[in-house]
Each structure stands twice: as C-alpha cells, then as structure tokens.
Amino acid sequence: MADKYNLKNPAVKRILQEVKEMQSNPSDDFMSLPIEENIFEWQFAIRGPCDTEFEGGIYHGRIQLPSEYPFKPPSFMLLSPNGRFETQTKICLSISNHHPEHWQPSWSVRTALVALIAFMPTSPNGALGSLDYKKEERRTLAIKSREAPPRFGTPERQKLIDEIHEYMLSKAPAVPQLSSTQVPEEHPSEEEAEAQVNSPNPEALPAVEEVPDQAGDRIVEEQEEVLANANPAGVEASREIQSSVSRNQLLQKSDTRVQNPKPETRVQKPDDRLFTLAAIGLTIAIVVLLLKKFIKSTQHGAVFLDES
C-alpha cells in the first residue's frame, strides 16, 4: 500500500502512521482501516454504547480524509440503519468537515470514532443527517445490525467491510434483552457526551457537538417545553414538602395555644350562691329586729314623757 504513494507527503505519512497504530492497538469498541485502492477512503465499524438502546449493535460507516489531512477534518457517513443518523449522508458534527473551525490536527481517526460512539445516545436537536427514532425501533435495528454487514461500494471495499464486521462480532458480547424499563428515559446531554470523550492524554479527544438548524429558536422552544412539562417526580416532591410545612405550621399553632392559655373565667358553684343568699337573708333579719327594737324603745320613751 505504501509503495503507491509519496511518503514525503505529510498527509500520506500521517495516514500510514494511523493505520499502523490502529492495527497494533486494536479496540473492542471500533475498528477502521483504509481500502486497498485509496488510503484516503476508510471503512469503520463502531459498537453501540452500553446501557443504551444501541447496545449490542455493530454500525458500519465510511470516512473520507481530505488531501490536507490532518490540517482539515474528515467527513463521516453511516451505512448501517441505526435510528440516530441517516445512512449514506454526511453527518454534521464538530469533528466533521461541516465545521472545520472546530477541528484540531492533533485529533485522529481513532479519537473521532471514540467521540462518535459517545455522541450516539444524545438528542439530535434537528441537526443535518440526524434522526430521532423511538427506543424500541433503535433496539430492533441494533439487533439486526449484527446479522450481516451493509452492502456498499466495490468488491474490494465490500471485502474490507466484511472483515471488519467479523472482527467486531468476535469482540462483541451477546445482545442484551432490555426491557422498556431498563432503557434510559432520557438521552444524555451534549455536555455529558463531551465529558465522556475528555481524556488526559496528550492526544485529547474532541468535544463533539451536533450543530442544529436555527439553534436559537430551538433553545427557546426547548425551554418552553421544559416549563410546560414539569417533572412529575419534582411536582410530587414539592407537594410533600408543602404538606410537611403545613403540618409543622399546625403543630406550631397548637403549641402556641398550650403555651399561652386564655384567662380562666371562674364560675360560681350552686353552693356559693346559696351561701350568699343565706347571708343576705340573715342580714335583712338582723336589720328588721334592730328596727323593731328601736321602734319599741321609742314608744316607751313617749309613754314615759306622757306620764310625767
């Protein structure tokens, strides 16, 4: 292969170096090699990321390297139906030729494939070449992708596709039988996908982004949708908190009533009323007797004066 190309060409030297590194350090998650007749045309296959609806799938694709590689980015195309990216359509990612301003010469085919795997479960956001199939449909496509590799290109290219497929099958575990409850309800965000591909190695992995159309309008719509569709778990938790606060308020009011009782109003008993009445009657009787005695004494005095 090397005899066909000018080894002094920087792009050729870099590509041959990556081919050697890919063969000497293979991965269970991906495989990629150039076709025999053109080292700027690569075939690849990636394994679906674990704990997603893509798990167990083997997805084939095509990479086209520019003549200015690695100073300009490659283009990527998926060939296996997957429910996330359109087939035979150049996908729009920050690591692809759609956004050369994001590309860094230190990145390679290997780092780009790692980033692509991490980005598969993220939300498409309407980007060019993206799809948004249901989880059940993606899971069905993942199982079907193992049966046979896609048919594409010349016999030489198809031979390489078949060899890569056999290698990926030999490294792939059994297809997990995921139930609907085991499939994550939400796709990871773009920030999480970027965190997955961050690496402390000198050959830092790219922070992949899928650039949507009319991004500003879509962000506003997503924010309105989030506000309109509140998380039921969050609403329920809020209700429980409000109920707890109400109970605490009631307990505090009850404690206040106990600590600050109203002044007691003393009610006279029936015995007290009878005693009072008896005392009043006795007083009246004494006054009457005194009046009678006074009247008698007065009458005696008058008689005594008459006799005199």
Side-chain angles (χ1 to χ4, degrees):
M1 179 184 297
D3 298 337
K4 300 179 182 180
Y5 301 97
N6 180 11
L7 299 181
K8 296 181 179 180
N9 185 305
V12 173
K13 292 176 63 176
R14 173 64 179 267
I15 293 172
L16 292 176
Q17 179 183 356
E18 291 193 26
V19 172
K20 183 178 179 181
E21 196 275 336
M22 188 74 70
Q23 292 175 333
S24 61
N25 187 22
S27 171
D28 295 346
D29 295 327
F30 59 86
M31 172 54 70
S32 183
L33 291 172
I35 61 176
E36 184 69 25
E37 60 266 24
N38 185 3
I39 62 171
F40 289 86
E41 291 279 347
W42 287 52
Q43 288 299 133
F44 74 86
I46 59 176
R47 189 170 69 178
C50 297
D51 300 324
T52 70
E53 61 268 35
F54 303 100
E55 184 173 1
I58 299 176
Y59 305 103
H60 289 263
R62 172 189 176 191
I63 302 174
Q64 186 173 5
L65 301 177
S67 57
E68 297 86 356
Y69 184 81
F71 301 102
K72 289 187 178 181
S75 62
F76 298 86
M77 176 189 301
L78 270 295
L79 302 178
S80 302
N82 53 86
R84 177 61 180 86
F85 297 107
E86 294 182 16
T87 58
Q88 301 189 27
T89 300
K90 293 181 179 180
I91 58 179
C92 181
L93 299 174
S94 60
I95 58 173
S96 69
N97 63 339
H98 283 278
H99 296 280
E101 68 276 8
H102 297 314
W103 175 260
Q104 297 182 22
S106 60
W107 295 346
S108 63
V109 171
R110 175 183 288 270
T111 55
L113 291 177
V114 173
L116 180 60
I117 294 172
F119 196 73
M120 282 195 71
T122 61
S123 299
N125 293 329
L128 180 66
S130 64
L131 298 173
D132 194 9
Y133 281 24
K134 294 181 179 180
K135 296 179 178 64
E136 293 75 12
E137 296 174 332
R138 290 175 173 178
R139 195 159 54 243
T140 301
L141 291 174
I143 297 174
K144 189 176 181 180
S145 67
R146 300 167 64 97
E147 297 176 358
R151 314 302 298 178
F152 182 80
T154 63
E156 291 77 11
R157 183 188 294 271
Q158 188 61 50
K159 180 181 178 181
L160 179 59
I161 293 174
D162 294 340
E163 292 176 354
I164 292 176
H165 191 79
E166 290 298 325
Y167 170 82
M168 295 300 295
L169 276 179
S170 66
K171 300 295 182 179
V175 178
Q177 300 298 325
L178 296 178
S179 63
S180 58
T181 57
Q182 292 175 314
V183 178
E185 292 298 329
E186 297 182 355
H187 293 306
S189 64
E190 293 184 2
E191 290 76 9
E192 292 173 341
E194 293 175 4
Q196 292 176 6
V197 299
N198 287 334
S199 172
N201 296 332
E203 187 182 18
L205 298 180
V208 188
E209 295 179 357
E210 190 169 9
V211 181
D213 298 329
Q214 298 178 352
D217 295 339
R218 183 165 293 101
I219 291 173
V220 173
E221 293 175 359
E222 290 178 355
Q223 291 176 346
E224 292 176 351
E225 183 179 357
V226 170
L227 293 175
N229 301 296
N231 186 355
V235 173
E236 187 65 25
S238 177
R239 290 176 180 172
E240 292 180 359
I241 293 172
Q242 292 176 357
S243 176
S244 176
V245 171
S246 299
R247 289 195 298 268
N248 292 335
Q249 290 176 347
L250 290 175
L251 290 175
Q252 290 176 357
K253 290 181 180 179
S254 176
D255 293 341
T256 302
R257 293 194 190 100
V258 173
Q259 294 173 1
N260 301 296
K262 293 182 179 180
E264 295 183 359
T265 302
R266 184 174 182 180
V267 181
Q268 292 183 342
K269 297 181 180 179
D271 294 341
D272 294 340
R273 290 197 296 268
L274 292 175
F275 177 80
T276 302
L277 292 175
I280 293 172
L282 180 61
T283 302
I284 293 172
I286 294 173
V287 171
V288 171
L289 289 175
L290 290 174
L291 287 174
K292 287 181 177 181
K293 187 175 181 181
F294 176 77
I295 293 171
K296 286 181 179 182
S297 63
T298 303
Q299 289 176 353
H300 284 298
V303 172
F304 177 75
L305 288 174
D306 289 340
E307 290 179 354
S308 301

